[in-house]
Every structure is written in structure tokens, then in C-alpha cells.
Amino acid sequence: MIIYPAIDIREGRVIRLIQGDFKKERVYSEDPVEVAFGWKEKGAESLHIVDLDGAFFGKPQNLEIIQKIVDKVGIPVQMGGGIRNFEILENVMDIGVARAVLGTSAILDELFLRKALLRFSERILVGLDVKGGKIAISGWQRLTEYKLEELLLKMADFGLKEAIITDIERDGMMNGPNISLIEGLLKNVKNVKLIASGGISTMSDIMHLSRLPISGVIIGKALYEGKIDLSGMVKLLKEDV
């Protein structure tokens, strides 16, 4: 299981939102590249970067910063936020991003998702963000009527191999992940690997998740607040294998 430190970028700074609310942010750094180096030094094998401005406006706004991280830090980067057409997707891949995370576009534009998977295969992830049992889109600003499990199964038929599942109501709240949500999906969705996100706040949370057949976890606020020691957690997971 891979631990992905989250680097959420808004207006060039590293921030965290609470429950996806753009009015509730906390700034952790003015230098995302420095933050990325810091997580690498603590043992991160990969990074999860979100262009929050891109998610809000529908087009990436921080690609220059993300390219600096890709070029200078030297570990794989998966990136999402505003990748809503094929031209943007190709631009993101061209700067060296290892994997692109599609959200709104993957849900609303079936043809785009199919084309992306056909062209880039396992370099495509889909981020499915859940709030009150409903899928949220457009930077978590709109709720849809799509059902999570049905959507995952449909995307699996298109060739999707991995998805990020985020419980918005737990994101940034430090009250633990939605284990039952992940367990329910694991029972019925067999062909898509899952990355858990939202609410992970203790090393115990991570150890619990590591017992499940998931491919990774994304951790944000708990790392920035010092609740989880990344280097210690990486070492513990390696010893536990």
C-alpha cells in the first residue's frame, strides 16, 4: 500500500480545505516545491497533487509549479484538478506527470474517459468524491445523482484500473476514514484498485486500512498538523509486509 502525501495548491500556495469548502482554508506553505521535497525526504514514494484553482475554474492554473515539482523532486506525481478535455490531459502528461486524475470530466463525458483510457491506460485514475452518498463534481461544488458503485462498475467496463475514493464530509476533519464505504466497494467492485482518501488522521487509521486490499491512501491535514509521522509510518508499513 502506497502512502500519498497530498499537496493541494491554490493561488500558488499549499493549503488544506475543510470538507472541500473554498471559504475554509488553511495555508501551510508558500512554496509547494519545498513541501514536495520535504515529503520525499521523509520517505514518500509518490505525491498526490491537486490544482484546486483548476478544479474550481475547470482548467489547471498551477501547471508551472507542478512541472517544477515533477522536474526537481524526482518521484512520481499523480495530479488532478481541472483536467476536463483531451488537450488539457495531453498537456498534463507532457510535463511529466506520472498519472492524471480525472474527476468531473470522467463522470460527465463518457467519450472523453474512454478516449483517455485508450490513449493512456493505467496512467489514468478517476477521483470519485462522495458526500452524503452522492457523487460531487466541479471542485465539490455540485452534487449529482450518480451512484458510486454503479459508476465504478461502468468505468471498469471502459478499462479503468484504479480510482480514488474520497469522503468529502470527512476530508480535513481529522475524525477517521470511512472504512465501511471502502469495505462495501471492495465486496462488489473487483476489477478496480482503490485508493482511500478523507479523514485519515492517525497511524492506527493507516494500519487498519493496510489490512484491506487497497492500493494506497492519500493523507493531507494529518501530515501537515504533525498527527502522523510519515517516515515512521513508511517504515512501519514496510516492516509489516
Side-chain angles (χ1 to χ4, degrees):
M1 186 180 79
I2 298 174
I3 296 177
Y4 297 90
I7 300 178
D8 293 357
I9 303 175
R10 186 181 190 192
E11 298 177 349
R13 304 174 297 175
V14 177
I15 70 140
R16 294 298 296 170
L17 301 178
I18 296 175
Q19 295 182 318
D21 189 340
F22 279 79
K23 297 178 182 178
K24 299 177 182 178
E25 71 168 41
R26 179 169 179 179
V27 178
Y28 285 98
S29 174
E30 301 286 338
D31 189 345
V33 179
E34 181 181 56
V35 170
F37 268 116
W39 295 137
K40 180 185 178 181
E41 289 174 355
K42 290 181 181 293
E45 299 175 354
S46 187
L47 299 170
H48 177 79
I49 298 180
V50 179
D51 185 332
L52 287 172
D53 298 303
F56 187 82
F57 291 109
K59 181 179 180 180
Q61 306 291 308
N62 295 283
L63 281 184
E64 287 186 13
I65 295 171
I66 294 167
Q67 183 164 13
K68 286 180 182 178
I69 293 173
V70 169
D71 291 344
K72 295 182 178 182
V73 179
I75 58 176
V77 167
Q78 62 187 35
M79 174 256 169
I83 307 174
R84 297 187 189 165
N85 63 52
F86 204 78
E87 181 181 359
I88 293 172
L89 174 60
E90 289 186 314
N91 289 340
V92 166
M93 294 305 200
D94 285 345
I95 69 170
V97 167
R99 303 200 295 177
V101 182
L102 307 183
T104 300
S105 58
I107 295 165
L108 299 182
D109 190 343
E110 179 181 307
L111 183 60
F112 171 55
L113 176 59
R114 285 176 177 267
K115 186 178 178 181
L117 289 167
L118 185 63
R119 173 68 175 84
F120 294 105
S121 187
E122 294 185 11
R123 293 180 67 193
I124 298 296
L125 303 176
V126 169
L128 297 175
D129 306 320
V130 187
K131 184 175 184 180
K134 296 183 178 181
I135 301 290
I137 60 173
S138 302
W140 297 356
Q141 303 304 300
R142 291 173 52 199
L143 291 180
T144 72
E145 296 300 322
Y146 291 102
K147 295 180 180 179
L148 177 58
E149 188 177 304
E150 289 181 5
L151 200 57
L152 261 181
L153 290 170
K154 183 178 182 180
M155 290 176 172
D157 288 340
F158 298 161
L160 180 68
K161 300 299 183 185
E162 195 163 8
I164 299 166
I165 308 300
T166 302
D167 186 326
I168 296 173
E169 292 175 304
R170 295 181 183 240
D171 193 74
M173 298 302 291
M174 304 280 287
N175 58 1
N178 191 337
I179 300 287
S180 62
L181 174 66
I182 299 298
E183 288 178 333
L185 290 174
L186 288 169
K187 287 180 181 178
N188 299 312
V189 181
K190 303 298 184 182
N191 297 325
V192 180
K193 294 184 287 186
L194 303 181
I195 297 174
S197 175
I200 299 168
S201 56
T202 67
M203 295 178 82
S204 177
D205 288 339
I206 298 173
M207 293 309 295
H208 191 164
L209 287 166
S210 73
R211 301 289 190 266
L212 301 177
I214 63 175
S215 60
V217 295
I218 295 171
I219 311 174
K221 189 174 181 180
L223 289 177
Y224 291 96
E225 297 284 340
K227 304 296 184 182
I228 293 175
D229 170 40
L230 180 60
S231 54
M233 195 68 247
V234 170
K235 181 180 179 182
L236 186 60
L237 286 175
K238 287 181 178 180
E239 292 173 349
D240 193 54
V241 172

